[in-house]
Amino acid sequence: MAAPILSYENLGLVQGSGWLFRHLDLYIGERDRLALIGRNGAGKTTLMKLIAGAIDDDEGRRSIVPGTRVVLLEQDPRVDGFATLADFVHAEPPPPAPHEADAIADQLGIDLSRDAATASGGERRRAAIVRALAQNPDVLLLDEPTNHLDIAAIEWLEEWLNRFKGAFVVISHDRTFLTRLTRQTLWLDRGTIRRAEVGYGGFDAWTEQVFAEEERNAQRLDAKLKIEEHWLQRGVTGRRRRNQGRLAKLKDMRAERAAMLGPQGTSALVTGSDDVRTKVVIDAKHASKGFDGRTIIRDLTLRITRGDRIGVVGPNGAGKTTLLKLLTGELQPDQGQVKLAKTLDGVVIDQQRKLMAPDKRVRDVLADGGDWIEVLGVKKHIHGYLKDFLFDPNMVEARVGTLSGGERSRLLLAREFARRSNLLVLDEPTNDLDLETLDLLQEVIADYDGTVLIVSHDRDFLDRTVTLTLGLDGSGTVDIVAGGYADWEAKRKPKAEPRKTSAKPVASPEKPKAPKLSYKDQRDYDLLPKRIEEIEAAIARDEDALHDPSLYARDPDKFAALTRKIEEARAEKEAAELRWLDLAEQVDALG
């Protein structure tokens, strides 16, 4: 391993009345591509500022190679006090070279002469990226760099980082961004930090391995409790299986929706059956809308039915917000018509988080100061409802101003999802959310009975969520494609090489309704936990041997054999876990 260019030993920081984290050791190598993963509130942004030297630690030692330039791209760049975005870009000492900043700004499509006070969130984010990249950093720290960026800008940033010669650490909710770019992972979890030499693409497998190791080290209980512990520790795997089931269902919904569309390349829907007509909630016919002589939406014909999940994508300024307002009746078309069902009752969750007054308590936001909240017409205690949205129930008295950006977003989602509605409008819902909350949001949307309209630049989120994608390119044309972002992209670039996709999830076999398990099933249910532990122990032994830095040079054949053996063992372990989970679900169903 090459010597690190920046490291921390025994890092600790006090927050409030206790330690946010303590005894952390971490290092950054000169070409590392690190994903920093952790739940909202774990301290990811704070840790990033400590690494940058922007705040002081309470204990620990920071070491850095002399001359190393560390640059932090903050989550919320402050442009207050600057006349123009150019003033903001060039204010950082030492200021970036003007030609470097201008070249990056041109490629990102940002006018730095723009008045800073009236710049949009996307313009401020682009300006902050220009300032960070133009400083030629050796270590680049990126805190939610894709927030407020459109897909074109995100893809440009991905290309730039792929060419970058230095090291970077990135916090992001964008799974596609993380998977494409990162090669190592820092996992901030329960006040400790772990590092793995795998990118985000291997994060789930790695965390399951960590949970398995914790389980091995836990106190041994009797057989029944041990099985229950095994089930609990595999919550991540269980959630993955549920998500696979939802994705399979989503694929069926997309196929059904594709059958309702007209010929390829047209945006008209074929005449629906009587059953389809009764389910229509929004019906647009040849609708057009423009401003100042420019047509934003041209000749849109679209029928949205109850239960549709509609994704809206396109570059900033292409007309996504205008389209959303047309479909929800906030704007009337200049030509054509848009009819809304009389029973339509919508909830709009926008990017501005207007309900999040800093002086309000969590209790005030959710339950108007009380102990009970009405969730879809049913009263529920606020403590239990907070747990549903991954909050510690003790946070009920916390002020909104003390919450992280992600926690505020999650609180707003908890409030709005409690309301009874049949139309949900989400404008950039993934901003500031951690990956675990994104999984929760996907589950809530999948289980929602009504229709969902989503504006998002998060490609993975759209691929996991929507049945129909409306793509805008700024010309006024709205492409209507059954499926998610990948399906829309494939239609836009028919000559591009096909993207590699993950294997089709295998649907779980139908659960038997027999009064008891068969002899073979019962035997597998009893013995598989022990077998899984044996496989994990074997993997751990082989990985320990593989970590010998001289092994490859001394015996490359053994290195290759160990690598193959570990891969085969992991596949066997995964199959055993899935088999055990199937059996556990059957046991649960049988009582």
Side-chain angles (χ1 to χ4, degrees), residues 206-232:
W206 172 46
T207 53
E208 286 195 33
Q209 183 180 345
V210 171
F211 290 142
E213 185 177 344
E214 288 182 351
E215 184 184 359
R216 284 198 304 272
N217 296 332
Q219 182 180 2
R220 300 306 185 195
L221 303 175
D222 65 271
K224 182 178 179 181
L225 289 179
K226 184 177 177 181
I227 290 173
E228 291 177 355
E229 178 72 1
H230 184 86
W231 172 259
L232 290 172

Side-chain angles (χ1 to χ4, degrees), residues 178-348:
L178 291 175
T179 301
R180 289 181 177 180
L181 290 172
T182 60
R183 298 180 199 149
Q184 299 89 19
T185 302
L186 293 173
W187 180 23
L188 188 58
D189 176 48
R190 292 166 287 175
T192 64
I193 197 160
R194 297 177 176 90
R195 174 174 171 134
E197 299 305 305
V198 295
Y200 179 73
F203 178 71
D204 282 343
W206 172 46
T207 53
E208 286 195 33
Q209 183 180 345
V210 171
F211 290 142
E213 185 177 344
E214 288 182 351
E215 184 184 359
R216 284 198 304 272
N217 296 332
Q219 182 180 2
R220 300 306 185 195
L221 303 175
D222 65 271
K224 182 178 179 181
L225 289 179
K226 184 177 177 181
I227 290 173
E228 291 177 355
E229 178 72 1
H230 184 86
W231 172 259
L232 290 172
Q233 289 290 349
R234 275 155 185 80
V236 174
T237 303
R239 169 166 283 179
R240 186 186 299 165
R241 277 187 71 80
R242 294 196 299 275
N243 286 344
Q244 285 179 344
R246 287 187 171 91
L247 288 174
K249 180 181 176 183
L250 181 63
K251 186 173 182 179
D252 292 339
M253 293 171 68
R254 286 173 174 173
E256 180 182 346
R257 205 61 175 86
M260 297 170 60
L261 289 173
Q264 178 104 7
T266 69
S267 58
L269 282 169
V270 298
T271 303
S273 65
D274 288 340
D275 179 59
V276 170
R277 287 195 183 102
T278 62
K279 293 169 60 179
V280 171
V281 294
I282 302 172
D283 195 3
K285 294 181 180 177
H286 304 291
S288 297
K289 185 67 181 180
F291 296 100
D292 301 324
R294 178 193 167 201
T295 300
I296 307 297
I297 305 296
R298 178 183 291 110
D299 195 29
L300 171 66
T301 297
L302 172 67
R303 180 173 288 163
I304 297 176
T305 60
R306 186 172 65 250
D308 275 345
R309 280 88 173 93
I310 309 292
V312 182
V313 300
N316 289 340
K320 298 189 297 295
T321 300
T322 300
L323 176 59
L324 209 61
K325 290 181 178 179
L326 270 180
L327 294 177
T328 56
E330 189 175 338
L331 285 177
Q332 295 301 312
D334 299 329
Q335 297 175 8
Q337 62 181 11
V338 178
K339 290 184 178 179
L340 276 62
K342 293 181 181 179
T343 57
L344 206 59
D345 180 18
V347 169
V348 179

Side-chain angles (χ1 to χ4, degrees), residues 4-175:
I5 57 174
L6 191 155
S7 63
Y8 254 112
E9 293 180 30
N10 203 35
L11 173 62
L13 184 75
V14 173
Q15 189 172 80
S17 59
W19 293 91
L20 177 61
F21 38 67
R22 200 176 188 189
H23 307 310
L24 301 190
D25 294 326
L26 62 93
Y27 65 89
I28 300 172
E30 61 181 357
R31 293 298 305 276
D32 280 356
R33 274 92 173 90
L34 284 153
L36 177 54
I37 306 297
R39 292 180 63 173
N40 284 139
K44 299 188 300 295
T45 293
T46 302
L47 179 59
M48 196 80 96
K49 290 179 178 178
L50 281 166
I51 295 172
I55 59 177
D56 294 328
D57 57 74
D58 290 300
E59 67 178 20
R61 184 165 70 91
R62 180 176 187 261
S63 302
I64 185 169
V65 173
T68 300
R69 179 176 292 183
V70 182
V71 174
L72 171 64
L73 172 67
E74 295 190 82
Q75 187 174 155
D76 296 307
R78 300 299 180 90
V79 301
D80 303 341
F82 297 100
T84 67
L85 294 177
D87 294 332
F88 164 73
V89 167
H90 294 287
E92 186 73 12
H99 68 278
E100 287 278 353
D102 291 343
I104 294 172
D106 183 60
Q107 294 172 69
L108 268 176
I110 175 68
D111 179 8
L112 295 180
S113 65
R114 182 85 161 79
D115 186 346
T118 59
S120 67
E123 289 170 328
R124 292 195 299 271
R125 169 62 56 175
R126 280 175 163 82
I129 291 173
V130 171
R131 181 166 79 166
L133 304 191
Q135 291 182 65
N136 294 317
D138 300 298
V139 178
L140 184 57
L141 308 174
L142 304 164
D143 193 352
E144 293 291 357
T146 64
N147 273 4
H148 305 294
L149 294 186
D150 59 21
I151 290 168
I154 293 171
E155 290 178 341
W156 180 89
L157 182 57
E158 286 176 353
E159 292 174 4
W160 192 95
L161 289 171
N162 271 323
R163 300 191 306 267
F164 181 50
K165 301 300 184 185
F168 65 75
V169 184
V170 58
I171 300 169
S172 180
H173 63 265
D174 189 327
R175 282 183 166 91

